[in-house]
Amino acid sequence: DIQMTQSPSSLSASVGDRVTITCRASQSISSYLNWYQQKPGKAPKLLIYTASSLQSGVPSRFSGSESGTDFTLTISSLQPEDFATYYCQQSYSTPLTFGGGTEVEIK
Amino acid sequence: QVQLVESGGGVVQPGGSLRLSCGASGFTFSPYGMHWVRQAPGKGLEWVAFIRYDGSNEYSADSVKGRFTISRDNSKNTVYLQMNSLRVEDTAVYYCAKDPLSYGSGSWYFDYWGQGTLVTVSS
């Protein structure tokens, strides 16, 4: 199975901050990496697919990038509605696997 | 708009069975593969199973293989998860999720999710 390691597991940030979350795959997954946002008590929401494609309706302050087996989700200017938990997920092979999540909290 | 509504969750004893349903609306259901994903209380996300748009192939996680079966009825716009031999560690919110690829073997990610249904396995 492909292991997805997310870091950090949590972070505190202020509105307006630039936030970066990293996800590392245990082997090459090409660009088959997706990012989700989940708020408490709600279903996850797709933000980014295939490493850097923005899902329709998602604000442009969200972006994704890749470098080898390392993937990054960046929020360019954190907004109050962005406080949530973020998960990466590889879609390269089954079983599909997720990172452990990054909780973004208000500083 | 796309809507996925899960039902069938509840409390069941270890070793018992439960069938979850997920009704789809707001899009043409039959061309799309469908997934089940679960989340144990306070934990992360775990993919459970996938079924192709035409029901010709299914895939599942090792943790549920031989116990859970995914199926679909395109005439009813519904996907199911039959769960047998339930264990305490199967306790979770179960989400159904839509695959974005039509008429294919799946893109293997999730563009729309339902609100989830809670399954509690406890004696």
Side-chain angles (χ1 to χ4, degrees):
Chain A
D1 298 3
I2 298 174
Q3 309 303 316
M4 306 303 296
T5 304
Q6 252 183 270
S7 60
S9 56
S10 65
L11 64 90
S12 295
S14 301
V15 172
D17 284 354
R18 182 182 183 88
V19 169
T20 298
I21 299 168
T22 298
C23 185
R24 173 170 290 173
S26 61
Q27 65 181 72
S28 173
I29 59 170
S30 187
S31 299
Y32 295 104
L33 190 285
N34 314 291
W35 291 98
Y36 302 87
Q37 175 194 66
Q38 186 178 33
K39 297 181 179 179
K42 300 294 187 182
K45 172 188 172 183
L46 177 65
L47 299 175
I48 301 284
Y49 60 96
T50 55
S52 59
S53 296
L54 192 67
Q55 174 68 353
S56 176
V58 174
S60 58
R61 63 180 179 274
F62 291 93
S63 64
S65 62
E66 63 178 295
S67 176
T69 57
D70 291 341
F71 299 84
T72 301
L73 174 69
T74 300
I75 310 172
S76 60
S77 177
L78 197 67
Q79 298 302 300
E81 60 269 29
D82 301 336
F83 291 95
T85 300
Y86 294 84
Y87 293 94
C88 61
Q89 175 247 330
Q90 63 83 14
S91 48
Y92 181 78
S93 67
T94 58
L96 309 180
T97 47
F98 292 86
T102 296
E103 184 176 8
V104 176
E105 301 172 317
I106 301 172
K107 182 183 282 185
Chain B
Q1 70 282 19
V2 172
Q3 199 166 12
L4 300 170
V5 179
E6 302 94 337
S7 60
V11 181
V12 61
Q13 292 189 337
S17 297
L18 215 53
R19 188 177 85 153
L20 306 183
S21 300
C22 171
S25 61
F27 68 104
T28 304
F29 178 72
S30 56
Y32 294 95
M34 295 295 294
H35 301 264
W36 287 95
V37 178
R38 68 184 180 182
Q39 186 170 35
K43 302 297 184 182
L45 299 165
E46 179 186 16
W47 172 76
V48 174
F50 168 78
I51 187 165
R52 262 177 60 112
Y53 71 98
D54 56 0
S56 61
N57 280 96
E58 307 108 43
Y59 303 81
S60 61
D62 285 348
S63 58
V64 306
K65 203 160 290 188
R67 301 187 299 123
F68 291 12
T69 302
I70 187 172
S71 62
R72 66 190 295 157
D73 185 339
N74 285 346
S75 69
K76 295 182 178 179
N77 291 350
T78 301
V79 60
Y80 304 98
L81 187 68
Q82 177 66 44
M83 304 186 295
N84 299 330
S85 302
L86 281 160
R87 304 168 180 167
V88 171
E89 55 266 34
D90 295 320
T91 295
V93 174
Y94 285 74
Y95 296 100
C96 70
K98 174 183 165 293
D99 192 283
L101 183 67
S102 60
Y103 296 117
S105 296
S107 288
W108 303 100
Y109 63 97
F110 324 103
D111 60 350
Y112 292 94
W113 299 63
Q115 85 289 348
T117 187
L118 176 63
V119 172
T120 303
V121 185
S122 172
S123 55

